[in-house]
Each structure stands twice: as structure tokens, then as C-alpha cells.
Amino acid sequence: MGRDVSAQLDACVRCGQCADACHFYLVTRDPRYTPVYKLRPLLRAFQRERAPFSTIKRWLGLAPSEVTAAELMEWSELMYDGCNMCGRCTLACPMGLDIAGLVRRAREGMSAGGFAPADHYKAAGRALDSGSPIGVAWPALRRHIEIQETETGLKIPVDVEGADYLVILSSIEIIAFPETIGALARIFKQAKVSWTIPSVGFEATNIGVQIGSRDIAATLVARVVDVAERLKVKYVISPECGHAYSALRWEGPNLLGRPFAFKVIQIAELLDQLVREGRLRTRGKDTRHLTFHDPCQLVRRGGITEAPRRLLDGVSEHNVEMPSAGDANFCCGGGGGVSAIHRAEKLRFAVFELKKQQVAATGAEALVTACANCRNVLEEAIEAHNMTLPVLGLTELVAQYLEPDPDVPSP
């Protein structure tokens, strides 16, 4: 437990404002889901081992008891199933504590002690063995690339040394939304972007961040860094995956202990830049009422708030903001690795109730997002709630309204 964690735990004034920021607590009204309660094992360890006068208190028998394995098993569900590490509690904390970051640090201890969900350990094993948390290997991606080349009539570059941009993808994008690859090909053709996809190190998802293992997180980041530096690219494009962006851009250099030889840019940032430079041109607009779901790691924790909205405004006639849109928007319910935990499914569908209310308030006919994991989680929750709202990927939506190119077949 470092000084930063100790200082934050000591600074908590127990005001409870984080409770009303957490969608797990707001839906269940179960006090165990308040963010500060989820930190109790960490707090007890701090009070026993690191708090001021803790040594004297232990001698006098006044320190809290040690946390038991049975208690950690109970808290595992609260920390992993009942927290998306979305950071809404961090935003609400009047003391400026990074509560989501503290949960992440608590997960590091839980993971090392063997108290993380079995689904996460399995996903981490697959990521280390095959490169993907759900086992997506290069032959599967190559097949999707070939299909998208047929559908778009465009050659999709692979392992091109010296390209400006390296595109990495999440397994969810590859399996559930492979049309993203074709959309990128059409967009980059018009914008004259030099790009490539790697045949190794293409996985953006970082299960190490979600389970709470710095070693696993560093190993997965290193794979992307190795291929990016071997191909001598100038930029790595983080895909529509929230945790992938934060793991590579914010945490990556610290995990590896050195700066990267390239810059990291999220796909929405790049598309917005290309539009502002006049290199990406759209024609026509979607006439439906659309509303944007803010991916927590991109918007609240990553600060990419305006770029997706400018892109959406460019292709939508009616863009309606949700209540609490932007930094304070509610999570989809599946972030932070929750969507990978089978036992958490009922809880995350219940938590979706707040997102359902937000969407209903807009009267939107379709939901748009810039995170493939959010998109997948939202589609599952919408089906579970008997809704019929389509969920659109922002990149594909922009590609749908590209100014026609005589050299590119219409999708």
C-alpha cells in the first residue's frame, strides 16, 4: 500500500456523496454497493498497518482485526461484479479522492491473492496464451479482413512498415462488429491516411487492468508497443474500447517504465481531426433522433467529450443529449470487466435501468456510442429489457455518410 493510497484513505470524511453517484447503489439501494463500503478491506488493512499510530494500536489491541479470506471472498463480488471503475464516484467526491482508482488498487491485492472472479483468470490466461481474452487469433481476424475487402473493394493493409497509423482492435469489434474494419478502410481511403493492421499484437483489450494485475497489463501493453515500434509507425489508433485507450495511453508508459516511440490517439479523436482538416467529408445526415452514450473511460476519465459530439452533429439532424450527459453520464453497466463475469449478468441488467431512463428521456430512436464493449453490453441489456432501440457504432455511422468516392463502392 503506497503513500498515495494511504493519504487518500486517511482523507475520506465519510460524507457518503459517492453513494448517490454509484448506479449499483442507486438501483439496489443496498448499502454494500456504496463505493466507500467496497473499499472496507483496503481501509481495514490501512488502519491496521499504515495509519498514524497503527503500531501502538496493535500493541494495545485497538487496531481493527485482520481481513479474513472469507471476507475477501464476499468482497470479491462487490469489487468486481458491483463496480465498473467508471469514476462517477471519483467525480462526486468533495475531497477529490480517486475512488475508482482505489478500487483498482484493491483489485490488485484481490487478484494477487486469488480472489478475482474465475472468469477473469480464464480471460487473462487466454490473453497471455493467444493474445485475446476471448481467444480471437490471427486467422479469425484475417478472415474478417478478407470479407471486408470483398465488401468494400478496398485493400486493407497488413504489417506495412513505415505506415503513419497502426490500427489495433478489440476482440469484441472483431467478432461482433467486423464492419468497423471496412468502415475504417473507407474513411482512411478518402482522408488519404497511411495505415496498417498488425498480424500480431492487434488486440487492444487489456484484461490486466480489469482484473488488477500490473504484470499482465504490462505484458499486454508491451505486445502493442513492440509491434508499433517494429513497424515504425507514428501513431497507434486506440479503437472503440474504453479500457484499451486508458491502458495504452495513460498507464502504458508507466507500466513499461519508458516513453513510447509513437503517440496514442483514440479513433474518435482522429476522425474529428480529419474532419476539421477538411480531409474527411460527409454528405447527408441521419434523420432519426439519436443520442450519444458516453463511454466512461473515454469521456469521464479520458476527457474525449467534444470530439464524438462534433462527429455526431456532422452526420445527425437530431442529436439529443441525455440527462447528465458527458462527464456525469451513467456507465453501460458492463465496464471494468463486469461484462466478462457470467455471475454478474443479472446485476448489470438491473443496473441498466438508469441508462434506460436516461435514454427514454431523450425520445431517441437510436443510441450511438464509441466503445464496442459498451455497444455489446447495451445491446444485451436492451434485449433483456424488451426494448427495440438499435445501438450504432460512431465510426460506422460516420463512414455511412461519407461523401461518395467514385473509386469506392457504396456499402
Side-chain angles (χ1 to χ4, degrees):
M1 188 182 299
R3 292 180 179 176
D4 58 329
V5 173
S6 300
Q8 292 195 69
L9 291 173
D10 201 33
C12 176
V13 295
R14 317 293 191 268
C15 67
Q17 291 195 39
C18 57
D20 287 332
C22 178
H23 48 176
F24 286 97
Y25 171 71
L26 290 173
V27 168
T28 64
R29 291 297 176 183
D30 183 339
R32 297 182 309 137
Y33 287 112
T34 56
V36 71
Y37 186 87
K38 296 168 193 170
L39 294 173
R40 289 191 70 172
L42 194 64
L43 181 60
R44 279 197 21 210
F46 164 73
Q47 291 174 334
R48 181 176 175 81
E49 306 293 338
R50 300 298 297 272
F53 309 110
S54 57
T55 301
I56 297 175
K57 288 181 178 178
R58 287 201 304 276
W59 287 344
L60 297 174
L62 300 176
S65 59
E66 291 189 33
V67 180
T68 67
E71 289 173 317
L72 291 177
M73 286 298 293
E74 177 190 349
W75 259 291
S76 177
E77 289 194 18
L78 298 178
M79 282 192 186
Y80 286 95
D81 304 29
C83 178
N84 298 121
M85 294 194 296
C86 71
R88 201 166 189 268
C89 52
T90 296
L91 198 69
C93 178
M95 299 302 292
L97 309 185
D98 183 5
I99 302 173
L102 290 172
V103 171
R104 163 77 182 283
R105 299 297 291 273
R107 283 190 182 188
E108 290 179 4
M110 299 286 281
S111 174
F115 297 102
D119 291 331
H120 276 194
Y121 286 120
K122 292 176 182 176
R126 286 191 294 267
L128 292 173
D129 293 340
S130 69
S132 161
I134 60 174
V136 177
W138 167 243
L141 174 55
R142 181 178 59 195
R143 179 58 182 150
H144 282 301
I145 288 175
E146 292 170 350
I147 293 172
Q148 293 302 311
E149 286 182 330
T150 300
E151 292 189 357
T152 63
L154 296 173
K155 181 66 176 176
I156 295 174
V158 174
D159 289 336
V160 177
E161 184 173 325
D164 288 340
Y165 291 88
L166 181 76
V167 169
I168 56 175
L169 301 158
S170 72
S171 288
I172 293 294
E173 281 181 305
I174 296 169
I175 297 302
F177 313 112
E179 62 273 17
T180 300
I181 301 170
L184 290 173
R186 296 176 61 238
I187 287 170
F188 291 158
K189 167 71 166 54
Q190 186 193 88
K192 295 181 173 55
V193 168
S194 167
W195 68 295
T196 190
I197 292 176
S199 60
V200 295
F202 55 80
E203 175 60 71
T205 310
N206 196 312
I207 184 67
V209 170
Q210 296 165 341
I211 195 174
S213 168
R214 293 179 65 84
D215 290 342
I216 295 174
T219 298
L220 301 180
V221 166
R223 289 176 178 172
V224 175
V225 173
D226 288 346
V227 70
E229 294 183 345
R230 176 169 57 81
L231 293 176
K232 300 180 177 63
V233 299
K234 298 176 182 175
Y235 300 89
V236 170
I237 301 175
S238 179
E240 289 198 353
C241 177
H243 273 93
Y245 175 71
S246 59
L248 188 61
R249 183 161 183 173
W250 309 121
E251 300 189 41
N254 288 329
L255 287 168
L256 299 191
R258 68 178 179 85
F260 298 159
F262 53 86
K263 294 183 178 179
V264 178
I265 187 169
Q266 208 271 335
I267 183 62
E269 292 179 295
L270 177 58
L271 299 185
D272 180 54
Q273 175 188 327
L274 294 173
V275 169
R276 287 184 284 111
E277 292 174 350
R279 298 168 62 186
L280 188 60
R281 302 171 300 279
T282 58
R283 179 183 294 179
K285 293 189 175 183
D286 197 304
T287 58
R288 293 172 291 182
H289 282 75
L290 306 180
T291 190
F292 184 71
H293 162 73
D294 295 277
C296 305
Q297 300 302 315
L298 300 182
V299 175
R300 182 156 41 246
R301 295 182 74 84
I304 306 177
T305 307
E306 299 305 322
R309 286 174 164 76
R310 284 194 291 266
L311 290 169
L312 189 54
D313 286 341
V315 295
S316 169
E317 285 188 0
H318 306 288
N319 179 24
V320 188
E321 291 282 15
M322 298 182 197
S324 304
D327 294 349
N329 211 335
F330 283 110
C331 176
C332 65
V338 173
S339 61
I341 306 172
H342 180 70
R343 71 187 184 198
E345 186 176 272
K346 182 178 179 181
L347 179 60
R348 72 177 166 92
F349 285 163
V351 166
F352 180 76
E353 178 61 31
L354 291 179
K355 180 58 63 181
K356 179 181 176 181
Q357 292 174 14
Q358 279 191 316
V359 174
T362 69
E365 299 168 273
L367 191 57
V368 182
T369 190
C371 171
N373 189 53
C374 287
R375 186 178 174 185
N376 191 55
V377 168
L378 291 168
E379 286 184 346
E380 290 180 349
I382 284 171
E383 182 177 354
H385 282 254
N386 298 315
M387 299 165 65
T388 56
L389 195 75
V391 186
L392 313 175
L394 182 59
T395 300
E396 290 108 292
L397 186 63
V398 170
Q400 184 179 342
Y401 288 96
L402 285 178
E403 189 176 88
D405 184 333
D407 296 330
V408 179
S410 299

